[in-house]
């Protein structure tokens, strides 16, 4: 099937990155019946996934962790270095924290298992596209445990009252649009607050910000 390189209205553009063709075919078959989701391309490993992401400009990338050559974690790191705006949702058959935690630290917006209910997968895609972070409880606990073993990146006192409010809502899983609505702000203003929070606390993404907020008791 031909790959799409242009925008298609408000549909969520998805790139599939998995070394198993049968998995990609199954994901494509289901996702193509979703009215608001468009599969724009596929890749069989992380290296190809990075190239496809640059060419096709997807909104969301569904990526496996364990792949030959460039695996999902290395691909995530390189996508971050390239400042690619796509949100990455890990789709894996591995449940070990030693596999999933590094992927989240590398910049994934969340993860799901390959046996996930199809409707739940579509919901997960919509959720990460909206700016949410999908953390299952056991992985969040593992990440927090690792954070506690290292020095804190910043101090709560460095944040303004408004930034603390925004951070609390990030920890609650809210997207920028939802934060803007809750605080009666523009999305642009919220983005500025998020950038300031990450800079002040020396954090790289919303996942780390959410965990930092939980660790320091800043929750909505």
């Amino acid at each position: 099937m031909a790959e799409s390189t242009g925008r298609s209205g408000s549909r969520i553009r998805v790139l599939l990155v998995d070394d198993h063709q049968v998995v990609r075919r199954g994901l494509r078959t289901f996702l193509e019946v979703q009215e608001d989701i468009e599969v724009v391309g596929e890749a069989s490993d992380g290296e190809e996934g990075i190239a496809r992401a640059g060419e096709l400009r997807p909104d969301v990338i569904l990526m496996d962790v364990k792949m030959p050559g460039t695996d999902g974690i290395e691909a995530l790191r390189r996508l971050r270095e390239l400042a690619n705006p796509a949100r990455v949702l890990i789709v894996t058959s591995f449940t070990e924290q030693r596999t999933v935690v590094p992927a989240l630290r590398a910049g994934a917006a969340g993860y799901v298992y390959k046996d996930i209910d199809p409707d739940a997968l579509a919901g997960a895609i919509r959720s990460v596209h909206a700016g949410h972070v999908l953390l299952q409880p056991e992985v969040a606990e593992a990440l927090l445990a690792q954070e506690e073993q290292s020095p804190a990146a910043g101090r709560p006192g460095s944040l303004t009252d408004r930034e603390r409010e925004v951070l609390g809502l990030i920890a609650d899983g809210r997207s920028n649009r939802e934060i803007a609505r809750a605080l009666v702000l523009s999305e642009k203003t919220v983005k500025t607050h998020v950038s300031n929070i990450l800079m002040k606390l020396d954090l790289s993404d919303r996942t780390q910000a959410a965990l930092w907020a939980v660790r320091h008791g800043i929750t909505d």
Side-chain angles (χ1 to χ4, degrees), residues 183-198:
L183 299 180
V184 195
L185 300 171
S186 69
E187 280 193 65
K188 183 177 180 180
T189 299
V190 171
K191 289 180 181 179
T192 299
H193 284 312
V194 173
S195 296
N196 289 339
I197 290 167
L198 296 179

Side-chain angles (χ1 to χ4, degrees), residues 8 45 59 81 87-88 110 113 135 139 146 150 162 165 168-169 172 183 200 208-209 218:
S8 179
D45 60 33
D59 300 308
E81 291 173 357
R87 303 273 286 169
V88 178
Y113 298 130
L135 287 178
V139 175
Q146 290 186 11
S150 60
R162 178 62 83 186
E165 286 182 299
L169 291 169
D172 195 39
L183 299 180
K200 288 182 177 182
Q208 290 186 5
I218 302 177

Side-chain angles (χ1 to χ4, degrees), residues 63-127:
M63 186 181 299
D64 192 9
V65 175
K66 297 292 186 181
M67 294 181 288
T70 302
D71 64 14
I73 295 173
E74 177 61 23
L76 276 161
R77 291 176 180 144
R78 288 172 58 185
L79 285 169
R80 175 185 286 179
E81 291 173 357
L82 293 170
N84 191 292
R87 303 273 286 169
V88 178
L89 179 63
I90 294 296
V91 183
T92 181
S93 58
F94 293 90
T95 60
E96 297 94 339
Q97 292 176 359
R98 66 176 182 271
T99 298
V100 179
V101 169
L104 292 170
R105 284 190 170 279
Y111 80 98
V112 294
Y113 298 130
K114 288 184 177 179
D115 61 355
I116 186 174
D117 177 81
D119 289 332
L121 175 60
I125 291 172
R126 296 181 185 111
S127 182

Side-chain angles (χ1 to χ4, degrees), residues 167-188:
L167 182 56
L169 291 169
I170 290 174
D172 195 39
R174 307 287 190 92
S175 66
N176 283 352
R177 179 173 299 178
E178 291 170 331
I179 294 172
R181 188 180 302 118
L183 299 180
V184 195
L185 300 171
S186 69
E187 280 193 65
K188 183 177 180 180

Side-chain angles (χ1 to χ4, degrees), residues 3-9 11-13 38-40 55-59:
E3 296 179 340
S4 171
T5 57
R7 295 288 171 180
S8 179
R11 300 178 76 187
I12 303 171
R13 295 165 53 80
E38 175 187 10
V39 177
V40 296
E55 175 188 349
L56 300 173
R57 296 173 296 130
D59 300 308

Side-chain angles (χ1 to χ4, degrees), residues 151-173:
R155 296 181 180 279
S158 65
L159 302 177
T160 66
D161 289 342
R162 178 62 83 186
E163 288 165 352
R164 290 171 67 92
E165 286 182 299
V166 171
L167 182 56
L169 291 169
I170 290 174
D172 195 39

Side-chain angles (χ1 to χ4, degrees), residues 132-151:
H132 295 289
V133 175
L134 297 181
L135 287 178
Q136 296 197 15
E138 67 274 15
V139 175
E141 290 175 5
L143 282 166
L144 285 170
Q146 290 186 11
E147 290 290 336
E148 289 173 356
Q149 295 173 6
S150 60

